[in-house]
Amino acid sequence: MIHQLQLFHTEGSKWSKQVQHQDSQFHFYILTYGSCEFHTADAALTAHKGEFVLAPANCSYEERSPLTGLHQKFSFSFAASDALLVMLPMLAKNNWLHAATGLYERSIERLRPLWKEMQEEQPYCLLRIGSFLMETLVLWQRELDRGELAPASLIHIERMKQYIQAHYRERITKEILADYIRRSPSYAASLFKKGTGQTISEYVHAARMKTAMYMLAESLLSITEIAEYLGYADVSYFQRLFKRTYGQSPSYYMQDRKGTGR
């Protein structure tokens, strides 16, 4: 359904690039730092860190960094099959989409190791990148269909995320978060999924895996010690979860340790 797929990472200031789309060609952007401008013949938009942008088919435009300041972004160039154009409304509408999204943290944590795999020319990495792109577009479509959450709901979501960031090494349940925001467990779980694209459990594991990635490369702790630090009594389960998240075993990322001779 997705073909002619390419993934790019661009950064810098005083930077520009001309883009020309044909039928069924698209660009999808994830801004990771600063801001980037997109100029067409009759309009312009500015995207900031944490926002998604979809540039439609049959258009020409210029990507441009601001005159001052740096920007960083990932971009996907791809063509969509006729079947996908029918199934995914955001592609069929043939207009620009630009929005802040609760999917940003989830997306960027999954994308960075895929970029690393691509630089290392790992087997089947384009298939993994295509799978990531498809899933991300579908989840964004669901978010757009749902519409913006009420300000009070966004506050509850942010409070739950902050609690998880402060306690992710501990056992966290929907009951605990519900008590924290003074709502029912079912409401807390449903609202969290709507706002982040992840269940509470998935978000907790993602926070742990992010720390694990850092510790594997930067600390001198063993895999067992890192697993125990992050709250996993079963080291085998930690290893399976890590590989499912990043596509490689924990020992693979220990190769990046500095001064260890590994």
Side-chain angles (χ1 to χ4, degrees), residues 77-213:
S77 171
F78 67 98
S81 67
D82 291 342
L84 185 58
L85 292 176
V86 172
M87 295 170 64
L88 204 57
M90 65 170 58
L91 301 181
K93 289 180 179 178
N94 203 35
N95 58 356
W96 285 79
L97 287 176
H98 166 223
T101 170
L103 300 170
Y104 173 73
E105 293 177 11
R106 171 193 182 278
S107 300
I108 204 62
E109 287 305 316
R110 296 191 178 191
L111 181 54
R112 283 184 174 132
L114 292 178
W115 176 253
K116 177 179 171 66
E117 285 188 27
M118 184 175 168
Q119 302 313 294
E120 296 174 347
E121 300 182 347
Q122 292 283 338
Y124 314 114
C125 68
L126 270 181
L127 286 175
R128 281 172 42 78
I129 292 168
S131 177
F132 166 86
L133 175 60
M134 179 73 79
E135 182 181 24
T136 302
L137 291 176
V138 169
L139 291 176
W140 192 26
Q141 182 70 70
R142 288 180 182 174
E143 189 178 82
L144 294 170
D145 291 346
R146 181 200 66 216
E148 292 186 8
L149 293 170
S153 296
L154 294 174
I155 291 172
H156 287 320
I157 293 166
E158 190 58 33
R159 289 190 68 213
M160 287 189 284
K161 288 166 62 176
Q162 289 173 355
Y163 183 93
I164 292 172
Q165 289 302 319
H167 301 275
Y168 65 88
R169 293 171 56 201
E170 305 167 13
R171 181 173 178 267
I172 299 177
T173 65
K174 63 182 180 181
E175 288 78 15
I176 291 173
L177 291 181
D179 184 63
Y180 185 67
I181 65 170
R182 300 181 183 276
R183 293 294 187 273
S184 71
S186 59
Y187 175 86
S190 175
L191 181 62
F192 194 88
K193 181 69 179 291
K194 286 180 181 178
T196 66
Q198 295 175 282
T199 65
I200 293 169
S201 177
E202 289 170 342
Y203 195 89
V204 171
H205 286 308
R208 291 177 174 181
M209 292 301 104
K210 181 178 180 180
T211 301
M213 175 78 83

Side-chain angles (χ1 to χ4, degrees), residues 44-70:
L45 66 85
T46 301
H48 303 276
K49 177 182 176 180
E51 297 179 343
F52 289 175
V53 176
L54 178 68
N58 296 309
C59 73
S60 59
Y61 61 96
E62 181 186 21
E63 301 174 25
R64 186 189 305 170
S65 62
L67 293 178
T68 59
L70 297 172

Side-chain angles (χ1 to χ4, degrees), residues 109-110 113-114 117 122-124 128 205-206 208-210 212-213 216 223 226-227 230 232 234-255:
E109 287 305 316
R110 296 191 178 191
L114 292 178
E117 285 188 27
Q122 292 283 338
Y124 314 114
R128 281 172 42 78
H205 286 308
R208 291 177 174 181
M209 292 301 104
K210 181 178 180 180
M213 175 78 83
L216 287 164
I223 292 173
I226 292 172
L230 294 173
Y232 296 105
D234 186 340
V235 179
S236 296
Y237 175 68
F238 165 74
Q239 291 176 311
R240 291 196 302 272
L241 186 61
F242 187 92
K243 187 170 184 178
R244 187 164 71 236
T245 302
Y246 293 121
Q248 299 286 352
S249 67
S251 58
Y252 172 81
Y253 288 94
M254 293 177 77
Q255 299 173 19

